[in-house]
């Protein structure tokens, strides 16, 4: 049985009418008969939802590609002229059929695209230049489209799942930071309590003079320092620990919702891909049946009538129609997944920037409070320093003598 490569081109005229052509065949294959109803139905989804995707990307603030423009739909905005999604199956749908084989090709448009885990990518050997959506920014929306092999097993992990794990880890780190600050608060409170208790100690309370005053100020400074540390711990709670705990309390719930949404779109994409493969197989069988009947009729090996040929051709046409419809549905599902991936990954990126910036600001607040505590502590020590500089043993001796003297007449020798 001869090999035949059939390339079905989908053309859209200004009226949106579809037609099929053929190439690389030894004989002319009759054009597939498309009903007016089919033409009208195919004309609408042919835009591949480009306008919707552009709106999504424009809202997300991504940069459009500057590659040569594709032919836009009639109502697509001018800004779309430079945007070509790498994941789209656009232009011609090429089907390579082995008419002598019972199994259809598993890869569509093998020279231009390849499908991995039901997602269609440009083939590495023929991939056109593809500009990043957000060049120079290392954005999430540019680097997590493919799946990655799971180091823990034989399966794969979706790029979005890696982003989600990073976000959840970031939330856990934030929680642990708040717990660290809480421990610091406990230490400060305990320290303040012990300082206050020590300031009430009566040890060396009998010291007199300028040294006694300095010693009394040392004890008083402990009470002042205890107050400073109590205020420091209170501010740590209200200005650092509490904001860290309260930031995005619903974060995990929101992430779970995003995960389920993207996962559902990916499942739908897999289902649509399975439908495409099933329709591709059906088209192969119909084309093989038509070819066999045509050859039998030509070499007079069968009594098949022209009516049988027409019937086989109608079935082949219907199979082609079904395949194109399935491809359209697949493209729509992939387009929707693409849009949601861009939107959601950019939102995750925004949340991560917000989280890091928020933590940075509150840690700066922590250091500021710590500096203030040091300054307040220094202010409690300054009076002690001043009094210590005034300590004068000679003056202390004078004051003590004046207060406690018992007489300044010295004893003399006894006379006989």
């Amino acid at each position: 049985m001869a090999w035949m490569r059939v390339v079905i081109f989908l053309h859209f005229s200004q009226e949106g009418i579809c037609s099929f052509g053929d190439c690389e065949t030894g004989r002319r294959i009759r054009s597939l008969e498309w009903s007016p109803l089919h033409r009208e139905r195919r004309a609408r989804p042919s835009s591949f939802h480009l306008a919707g995707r552009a709106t999504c990307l424009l809202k997300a603030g991504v940069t459009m590609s500057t590659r040569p423009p594709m032919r836009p739909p009639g109502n697509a905005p001018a800004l779309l002229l430079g945007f070509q999604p790498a994941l789209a199956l656009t232009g011609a749908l090429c089907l390579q059929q082995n008419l002598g084989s019972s199994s259809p090709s598993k890869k569509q448009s093998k020279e231009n695209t390849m499908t991995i885990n039901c997602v269609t990518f440009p083939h590495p050997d023929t991939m056109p230049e593809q500009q990043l959506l957000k060049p120079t920014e290392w954005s999430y929306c540019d680097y997590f489209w493919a799946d990655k092999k799971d180091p823990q097993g034989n399966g794969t992990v979706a790029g979005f799942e890696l982003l989600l794990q990073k976000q959840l880890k970031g939330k856990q780190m934030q929680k642990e930071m708040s717990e660290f600050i809480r421990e610091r608060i406990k230490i400060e409170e305990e320290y303040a309590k012990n300082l206050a208790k020590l300031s009430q100690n009566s040890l060396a309370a009998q010291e007199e003079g300028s040294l006694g005053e300095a010693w009394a100020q040392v004890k008083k400074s402990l009470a002042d320092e205890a107050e400073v540390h109590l205020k420091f711990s209170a501010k740590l709670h209200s200005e650092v620990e509490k904001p860290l705990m309260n930031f995005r309390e619903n974060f995990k719930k929101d992430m779970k919702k995003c995960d389920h949404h993207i996962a559902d779109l990916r499942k739908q994409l897999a289902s649509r891909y399975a439908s495409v493969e099933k329709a591709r197989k059906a088209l192969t069988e119909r084309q093989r049946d038509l070819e066999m009947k045509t050859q039998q009729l030509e070499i007079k090996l069968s009594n098949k009538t022209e009516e049988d040929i027409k019937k086989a051709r109608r079935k082949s046409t219907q199979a082609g129609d079904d395949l194109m419809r399935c491809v359209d549905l697949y493209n729509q599902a992939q387009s929707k997944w693409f849009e949601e991936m861009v939107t959601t990954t950019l939102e995750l990126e925004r949340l991560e920037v917000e989280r890091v910036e928020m933590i940075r600001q509150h840690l700066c607040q922590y250091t500021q409070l710590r500096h203030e505590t040091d300054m307040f502590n220094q202010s409690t020590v300054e009076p002690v320093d001043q009094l210590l500089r005034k300590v004068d043993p000679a003056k202390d001796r004078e004051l003590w003598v004046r207060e406690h003297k018992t007489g300044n007449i010295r004893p003399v020798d006894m006379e006989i």
Side-chain angles (χ1 to χ4, degrees):
M1 187 66 66
W3 286 72
M4 181 179 71
R5 183 182 180 189
V6 181
V7 183
I8 305 177
F9 293 93
L10 176 60
H11 303 286
F12 285 95
S13 66
Q14 292 182 353
E15 295 79 18
I17 299 177
C18 305
S19 62
F20 282 85
D22 61 271
C23 65
E24 300 183 23
T25 59
R27 61 178 109 24
R28 183 176 182 277
I29 301 178
R30 296 177 179 85
S31 299
L32 300 179
E33 300 173 359
W34 290 65
S35 67
L37 178 61
H38 175 77
R39 296 191 184 105
E40 182 180 354
R41 185 175 71 250
R42 289 285 301 134
R44 288 196 296 271
S46 63
S47 64
F48 187 45
H49 295 267
L50 288 179
R53 176 177 291 186
T55 303
C56 161
L57 298 181
L58 287 174
K59 289 182 179 178
V62 301
T63 305
M64 296 297 179
S65 172
T66 56
R67 289 183 283 110
M70 61 191 291
R71 186 174 186 271
N75 59 350
L79 190 57
L80 270 178
L81 294 179
F83 179 63
Q84 289 180 315
L87 304 181
L89 293 176
T90 56
L93 171 65
C94 299
L95 304 177
Q96 183 170 341
Q97 307 288 356
N98 180 0
L99 297 182
S101 172
S102 60
S103 59
S105 172
K106 291 297 182 181
K107 301 222 179 218
Q108 49 189 331
S109 195
K110 182 180 291 186
E111 295 84 355
N112 298 321
T113 63
M114 57 187 297
T115 302
I116 303 175
N117 290 344
C118 305
V119 179
T120 302
F121 298 97
H123 196 282
D125 297 337
T126 60
M127 182 175 66
E129 181 184 357
Q130 189 180 63
Q131 183 172 337
L132 298 177
L133 298 176
K134 301 188 76 174
T136 74
E137 295 190 26
W138 291 94
S139 175
Y140 289 169
C141 69
D142 276 318
Y143 295 98
F144 292 90
W145 292 105
D147 297 341
K148 186 176 183 179
K149 186 175 181 180
D150 185 3
Q152 305 298 329
N154 298 324
T156 58
V157 179
F160 181 79
E161 182 65 24
L162 293 177
L163 290 176
L164 191 66
Q165 291 174 3
K166 174 175 173 52
Q167 299 298 310
L168 295 177
K169 179 180 178 181
K171 183 176 184 295
Q172 178 63 26
M173 294 302 99
Q174 183 174 316
K175 179 182 178 182
E176 293 180 10
M177 289 179 187
S178 66
E179 292 174 352
F180 178 90
I181 298 299
R182 184 183 306 157
E183 290 299 316
R184 178 61 193 269
I185 292 172
K186 291 180 180 179
I187 292 173
E188 290 292 330
E189 291 175 343
E190 188 67 23
Y191 183 53
K193 178 181 178 181
N194 290 333
L195 287 178
K197 182 179 180 180
L198 184 58
S199 69
Q200 301 298 320
N201 194 289
S202 60
L203 292 174
Q206 302 302 316
E207 182 61 55
E208 298 175 342
S210 58
L211 181 59
E213 292 178 6
W215 177 248
Q217 187 60 44
V218 168
K219 295 168 67 176
K220 183 179 183 300
S221 70
L222 292 183
D224 295 339
E225 190 176 348
E227 184 65 23
V228 169
H229 284 277
L230 278 177
K231 290 181 179 179
F232 175 56
S233 65
K235 287 187 176 181
L236 278 183
H237 173 70
S238 61
E239 299 180 21
V240 181
E241 180 206 4
K242 191 174 181 180
L244 286 176
M245 285 295 293
N246 292 340
F247 179 72
R248 298 297 294 175
E249 278 296 326
N250 296 325
F251 183 81
K252 187 173 183 178
K253 181 179 179 181
D254 293 342
M255 290 302 97
K256 188 174 182 180
K257 184 185 298 183
C258 290
D259 184 24
H260 287 173
H261 181 54
I262 297 296
D264 288 343
L265 290 175
R266 189 68 182 266
K267 289 178 182 177
Q268 185 182 48
L269 184 62
S271 175
R272 295 286 170 81
Y273 178 75
S275 297
V276 169
E277 291 300 296
K278 182 178 180 180
R280 190 192 312 279
K281 182 178 179 180
L283 177 60
T284 300
E285 294 174 351
R286 296 303 181 187
Q287 291 281 15
R288 183 184 301 111
D289 182 59
L290 174 61
E291 178 66 15
M292 290 177 63
K293 290 181 179 179
T294 302
Q295 289 180 351
Q296 290 174 358
L297 180 64
E298 290 176 352
I299 62 178
K300 309 297 185 180
L301 293 179
S302 174
N303 294 326
K304 299 294 184 181
T305 63
E306 184 67 21
E307 185 62 29
D308 293 327
I309 300 298
K310 290 182 179 180
K311 184 177 179 180
R313 185 181 301 120
R314 283 196 298 270
K315 289 182 178 181
S316 178
T317 301
Q318 181 61 44
D321 184 31
D322 291 341
L323 177 58
M324 296 303 293
R325 180 181 58 82
C326 290
V327 170
D328 238 6
L329 291 175
Y330 169 85
N331 285 339
Q332 292 174 30
Q334 185 166 251
S335 176
K336 180 63 176 176
W337 174 72
F338 175 88
E339 295 169 9
E340 293 299 320
M341 278 286 290
V342 171
T343 302
T344 307
T345 54
L346 288 178
E347 176 64 11
L348 294 183
E349 186 176 293
R350 184 191 67 80
L351 290 175
E352 176 65 6
V353 171
E354 183 180 353
R355 183 187 73 87
V356 172
E357 182 61 25
M358 186 277 300
I359 292 177
R360 186 193 69 82
Q361 291 177 359
H362 286 86
L363 291 183
C364 287
Q365 180 65 13
Y366 167 80
T367 59
Q368 179 63 29
L369 292 174
R370 190 69 186 86
H371 287 314
E372 292 177 0
T373 300
D374 290 339
M375 289 188 293
F376 288 140
N377 284 338
Q378 183 63 33
S379 67
T380 65
V381 175
E382 287 177 359
V384 178
D385 289 338
Q386 294 174 3
L387 289 175
L388 288 176
R389 285 192 292 268
K390 292 179 180 179
V391 171
D392 184 350
K395 184 65 174 178
D396 288 350
R397 185 172 64 252
E398 176 188 350
L399 293 175
W400 190 87
V401 169
R402 283 179 179 276
E403 182 178 355
H404 297 91
K405 64 183 178 177
T406 59
N408 58 355
I409 304 299
R410 294 184 300 276
V412 298
D413 291 341
M414 179 184 295
E415 296 181 352
I416 300 176

